[in-house]
Amino acid sequence: MPSATYSTVISSFVKIIGLWAAYRLYQRWRHVFALSFLPGPPTASYVWGDMFDLKKAPVGTRYNFWRKAYGPVYRLREPLMEPVLVMGDPKGALHVLNKTSVYWRPEIDRVILGLWFGPSVLSTEADAHAQRRRKLNPAFTPQSIKQVSPVLQDLAHTLVDEWNDKLGTDDSLVLNVSEALHRFALNAISRTMFAYDLSDPTGSIPTLLKNISDGPDGPDTTLTRVAAVVIGTFPKLMGLPNPMKTWATMLQTELGKIAGEVWGSVERIGTLEGMDARALEVLSQANKSGDTVSKDDAVAEIIGLLFAGSETVANVMGELLYELAQQPVIQTRMRDELRAFEALNGGPPGYVDLSASNKNGLEYFNAVIMETLRCKAVLMDIAREAIVDDAIPLSNPLPGTNEHVLHVRKGQIVSIPVRDGLNVDTSIWGDDAEAFRPERWLDGNAVVPGVGPGGVLTFGDGAKSCIGRHFAMTELKIVASTLLRSFSFHPSETEPDIDFYHLGGNTVKPKIRGSEGEGVQLPLRVRRA
Ligand code: HEM
């Protein structure tokens, strides 16, 4: 090739690369500044954004302040100036949660969960998600939960016996209640959903699951931040050897063995005599009626259920006991109501009494549970990613305009603030929105003012809302009613302050201030009631 032609080719090539690079830069610029017209806090760091600070902040110290300062819709930044749309407008939030053809769980969440456990209801979208959800749904109907409720009662009584043994001849004792509640919640799922007893605290499954939920709570250094940013950008790197991946593989192997045994029995005899394996039963039924469900599919769903349904419930239960320890008047009123019920009905409330919506003498008890779900939501926020451009309708106009629609582009991350957001929004719940006041559920009770099922977004909304909602409510009510009849709960005078954080994983957990690295701890003084 003559040298003139050669240099023309090179120069054209360089121009094309230059144009392509300029176009990509322009796209990036448009993406980064797309939400610049929205208000938001000054970015904590141009490199790291706001999210590292947010993860370490105790609850009640960020979203609620930002809502007051910037209104319900504002902007935050992830590392490298990646914009995050905080959608605290009720109509906008419901739109995002319900329009599943446009808003998916963020890619990073889906890829990581899929890599760790295999494809499950938590990591799939669109038709694949709908199919998985349809197969699992029968395990979570009120009828199904009624069927397994004796197991939950049994576990709650075991907890009472265990604490009575620990108390011995003492009148009271400081106990890390969180540890026992986590064991309860894990065993509740494993015994009812796949007929397996996980109560042995030295067993490998609880430890593996705890490692995964807590995440390696390592130091917050530049190196760990760079690693987090690289993985956020290339989530598939999580497939490379790392502690989480190793724990997840071990968990899959351990659960695979158990699922194999139980799956085989369910296949052979249709059900397990004297045991409940609701999740495996419904998956096996789906398999027989033409939907293909392999043992690996079943294992992925089981891990998903254990993962999504154990620490969530345990942490909410812990928060309820902590709140009652701070508010003895509420605690006493609940206990009095439970005892009055028992005296009138000749026995403690069972599943039917606890799930009844009519007036049956447990109104205050139910109001405390609702207030717990409102104020103590275990997720700070629910995140979604727009997979195509969209226009989000709003109940309130954007600041300084009459505009009731917000346009977002493909790739936009949307965060719906729950715990310190819509669940405690003063424009919905009134000036005392942040106060724990069960009476608000008794006042007339005709119209629930909030957003989402039952007025709260604690369990999400739409096609991906919590499948275990009734199961969780039942557990919460059974544990609270059983424990409160036997014990009273008080702050532990000798222990330092407790903070509720969402460090390590996405859920709010109790940790001791200054000792966050030591994991979940909730020391309370437990006294015989
Ligand atoms: C108080 C306890 C619980 C809370 C606060 C809670 C909260 C939530 C929330 C907010 C979501 C929706 C997340 C999203 O939209 O991206 C969700 C989904 C889910 N939850 Fe729960 N959950 C609890 C207990 C449970 C239990 C007990 C189980 C199972 C036994 C469970 C299983 C699931 C599953 C499988 C999903 C994914 C559903 C789907 O994608 O279709 N959860 N949960």
Side-chain angles (χ1 to χ4, degrees):
M1 195 186 289
S3 68
T5 317
Y6 188 72
S7 66
T8 311
V9 170
I10 296 272
S11 128
S12 305
F13 184 68
V14 168
K15 276 185 197 147
I16 289 169
I17 295 285
L19 276 173
W20 178 80
Y23 177 66
R24 291 308 302 262
L25 272 176
Y26 168 68
Q27 275 188 320
R28 176 79 195 151
W29 179 84
R30 275 202 341 162
H31 178 68
V32 164
F33 294 103
L35 299 178
S36 296
F37 63 96
L38 285 178
T43 307
S45 152
Y46 288 119
V47 178
W48 307 120
D50 301 304
M51 295 313 179
F52 289 103
D53 169 62
L54 192 55
K55 265 208 165 304
K56 286 191 299 179
V59 297
T61 62
R62 295 293 187 275
Y63 286 114
N64 46 346
F65 288 99
W66 289 333
R67 163 75 174 78
K68 283 169 205 149
Y70 307 110
V73 180
Y74 55 94
R75 172 195 38 76
L76 295 176
R77 297 247 178 231
E78 284 194 340
L80 309 179
M81 297 294 281
E82 183 68 33
V84 175
L85 170 63
V86 180
M87 179 48 67
D89 178 278
K91 196 169 173 182
L94 291 182
H95 171 88
V96 171
L97 289 175
N98 283 280
K99 204 165 177 186
T100 43
S101 57
V102 173
Y103 296 97
W104 288 10
R105 294 203 172 106
E107 189 192 0
I108 174 95
D109 297 355
R110 283 182 282 123
V111 170
I112 289 179
L113 288 168
L115 277 172
W116 286 347
F117 309 139
S120 74
V121 75
L122 284 163
S123 62
T124 47
E125 293 287 340
D127 287 351
H129 170 266
Q131 276 173 22
R132 285 174 186 277
R133 175 96 185 197
R134 187 169 40 75
K135 287 175 203 164
L136 277 177
N137 270 338
F140 293 97
T141 58
Q143 191 50 38
S144 175
I145 289 157
K146 182 178 179 190
Q147 190 186 324
V148 298
S149 64
V151 178
L152 304 179
Q153 302 266 14
D154 181 41
L155 287 170
H157 288 298
T158 307
L159 191 55
V160 169
D161 292 345
E162 186 187 311
W163 285 356
N164 268 326
D165 283 351
K166 283 201 167 135
L167 277 162
T169 52
D170 291 339
D171 175 50
S172 81
L173 196 65
V174 172
L175 290 174
N176 175 13
V177 298
S178 189
E179 188 268 332
L181 295 175
H182 274 77
R183 255 187 298 122
F184 169 92
L186 187 59
N187 219 8
I189 300 179
S190 62
R191 274 193 52 192
T192 57
M193 291 293 146
F194 65 114
Y196 197 78
D197 192 334
L198 283 178
S199 57
D200 176 6
T202 59
S204 61
I205 291 175
T207 314
L208 291 168
L209 207 66
K210 185 172 161 11
N211 288 345
I212 293 170
S213 303
D214 283 1
D217 248 357
D220 182 16
T221 63
T222 307
L223 196 64
T224 55
R225 286 185 175 206
V226 170
V229 173
V230 172
I231 284 175
T233 317
F234 305 104
K236 292 211 164 72
L237 288 179
M238 275 307 271
L240 296 175
N242 68 72
M244 297 275 230
K245 175 77 187 149
T246 310
W247 297 326
T249 310
M250 285 159 74
L251 186 62
Q252 267 174 315
T253 314
E254 295 286 303
L255 281 172
K257 279 189 241 151
I258 299 166
E261 282 167 31
V262 183
W263 186 251
S265 314
V266 175
E267 293 277 88
R268 278 195 307 279
I269 54 175
T271 184
L272 292 170
E273 217 162 303
M275 297 278 267
D276 291 290
R278 295 300 296 131
L280 285 181
E281 270 172 28
V282 298
L283 291 172
S284 158
Q285 283 307 324
N287 204 15
K288 283 183 191 148
S289 41
D291 284 328
T292 317
V293 184
S294 67
K295 194 189 87 187
D296 288 350
D297 280 335
V299 171
E301 296 301 0
I302 288 170
I303 301 179
L305 293 176
L306 288 174
F307 181 73
S310 53
E311 67 149 356
T312 43
V313 175
N315 287 332
V316 176
M317 283 175 188
E319 289 219 48
L320 169 61
L321 297 186
Y322 182 77
E323 187 67 36
L324 295 181
Q326 314 299 315
Q327 304 226 38
V329 175
I330 297 181
Q331 185 179 160
T332 305
R333 189 168 164 191
M334 274 179 103
R335 186 174 299 105
D336 289 349
E337 198 183 66
L338 287 164
R339 288 195 170 147
F341 180 97
E342 199 167 347
L344 193 69
N345 296 280
Y351 172 83
V352 174
D353 313 304
L354 291 169
S355 54
S357 53
N358 60 334
K359 292 199 168 169
N360 65 352
L362 294 175
E363 289 78 20
Y364 190 73
F365 175 85
N366 281 319
V368 177
I369 299 293
M370 284 315 296
E371 190 68 342
T372 304
L373 291 172
R374 187 183 74 86
C375 295
K376 314 292 179 186
V378 79
L379 291 188
M380 291 303 285
D381 70 314
I382 300 175
R384 291 288 186 268
E385 180 176 345
I387 56 154
V388 289
D389 294 356
D390 190 38
I392 305 180
L394 302 171
S395 6
N396 306 298
L398 288 168
T401 71
N402 280 328
E403 200 54 67
H404 278 79
V405 173
L406 176 62
H407 294 272
V408 291
R409 289 179 202 281
K410 178 182 173 184
Q412 179 60 56
I413 297 290
V414 185
S415 158
I416 294 161
V418 177
R419 169 72 176 240
D420 290 339
L422 280 155
N423 276 12
V424 293
D425 190 322
T426 45
S427 68
I428 298 170
W429 295 97
D431 289 343
D432 68 350
E434 284 173 39
F436 189 90
R437 192 175 70 80
E439 287 75 11
R440 74 178 79 242
W441 297 93
L442 299 173
D443 299 342
N445 216 5
V447 180
V448 182
V451 183
V456 293
L457 275 181
T458 306
F459 293 106
D461 193 44
K464 290 199 200 89
S465 65
C466 182
I467 200 171
R469 180 170 168 229
H470 294 298
F471 187 84
M473 292 277 279
T474 306
E475 281 181 283
L476 201 54
K477 289 182 176 185
I478 287 178
V479 166
S481 61
T482 311
L483 291 182
L484 278 171
R485 291 197 329 274
S486 298
F487 307 109
S488 64
F489 298 90
H490 311 267
S492 139
E493 322 76 23
T494 52
E495 296 294 336
D497 291 338
I498 306 290
D499 273 325
F500 288 90
Y501 293 99
H502 62 128
L503 269 172
N506 191 30
T507 54
V508 174
K509 320 171 198 308
K511 300 212 173 183
I512 292 177
R513 194 176 303 159
S515 305
E516 289 85 354
E518 287 171 31
V520 174
Q521 293 181 70
L522 185 52
L524 289 179
R525 182 163 288 283
V526 179
R527 195 181 297 279
R528 284 205 177 88

